[in-house]
Amino acid sequence: MSTHPRDVAGAPAEQLGEKLGVHLDPELLVLSLTHRSFAHEAGGIPTNERLEFLGDSVLGLVVTEALFRRHPSQDEGDLARMRAATVSQRALAAIARTLDLGSYVLLGKGELSTGGPDKDSILSDTLEAVIGAVFIANGLEVARVLVERLVGPTLEVAADLGAGLDWKTSIQELSADLGLGLVAYEVVGVGPDHERTFTAQAVIAGEVRGTGTGPAKKIAEQEAAAAAYGSLQAAAGRP
């Protein structure tokens, strides 16, 4: 017997709609959350992949226009780099985590058992599908407002980053440029396995330059790297 995703996700999906601050038909919102693994186990129901395809284009258009307007003196190559950083899988997954999107996405048992709700690829793809759903339901201007709100913080820092909004790569590049060598990370975790919190310190030349926390080691390390990047920039007298 097949399962309709609405029967599984109804109330939680409505909560996500409230977080987004955008009106969406419940069935359309649930479709945007339906991963192919769940669809397969539910008897071959529609997946969110078409909405993801659409949302990727909407996201790219909005981000490209925003960067074009914000950075009138930057050339095409710089704008392309900043766009890549803003719409990278890592960046979108980080945004998805601020919405707790992993707790809403519908996944098959296999994906659930292998940490699917926190996989960067699933989170970023689902976020794009949600954006696609918003565009279908409300048009470009409403989708633009949502995208600019979600990616706003990323756009603010995109010009300063190195490879694709990866703070660990960026701080390593900066540390090498300043002759300080490799960046090391010291990470500790506290709390039960299902609700663990990690704290990371970015250590450069024997000195703690940044600290970050998060529900996963990689998130805590990225936060620490971001803090260290700002610290090193300030110490080096760079804007």
Side-chain angles (χ1 to χ4, degrees), residues 28-227:
L28 181 60
L29 179 56
V30 172
L31 176 60
S32 74
L33 301 171
T34 304
H35 187 261
R36 63 178 177 271
S37 61
F38 180 92
H40 175 73
E41 292 183 8
I45 62 175
T47 76
N48 65 0
E49 291 176 352
R50 281 171 52 86
L51 287 174
E52 174 199 334
F53 169 77
L54 178 62
D56 175 69
S57 295
V58 173
L59 175 67
L61 172 63
V62 173
V63 168
T64 299
E65 181 184 5
L67 289 170
F68 181 85
R69 294 184 182 281
R70 290 182 183 212
H71 302 283
S73 63
Q74 299 285 2
D75 64 23
E76 179 188 7
D78 288 336
L79 292 175
R81 177 181 63 80
M82 287 187 278
R83 179 177 61 191
T86 305
V87 302
S88 70
Q89 183 181 100
R90 184 187 300 275
L92 296 182
I95 293 169
R97 289 187 179 96
T98 68
L99 298 169
D100 193 26
L101 196 58
S103 67
Y104 299 102
V105 62
L106 296 172
L107 297 169
K109 294 177 182 177
E111 284 290 356
L112 285 171
S113 67
T114 57
D118 195 47
K119 288 182 179 177
D120 282 3
S121 58
I122 289 177
L123 290 173
S124 60
D125 288 350
T126 303
L127 183 63
E128 288 178 340
V130 170
I131 291 169
V134 171
F135 173 79
I136 284 292
N138 299 282
L140 180 59
E141 290 313 309
V142 173
R144 183 196 308 278
V145 171
L146 175 64
V147 169
E148 290 183 345
R149 176 162 60 83
L150 292 176
V151 306
T154 308
L155 285 172
E156 290 296 331
V157 300
D160 297 326
L161 291 176
L165 198 64
D166 184 342
W167 284 113
K168 292 180 69 175
T169 300
S170 296
I171 185 59
Q172 186 58 67
E173 291 175 348
L174 178 59
S175 181
D177 186 42
L178 295 174
L180 298 175
L182 296 175
V183 182
Y185 295 90
E186 299 175 355
V187 185
V188 296
V190 296
D193 289 342
H194 68 282
E195 200 172 330
R196 205 158 178 78
T197 298
F198 294 88
T199 298
Q201 292 182 323
V203 181
I204 303 172
E207 183 179 348
V208 176
R209 290 287 189 169
T211 301
T213 61
K217 288 182 180 179
K218 62 183 179 181
I219 297 174
E221 288 178 349
Q222 285 289 334
E223 292 290 328

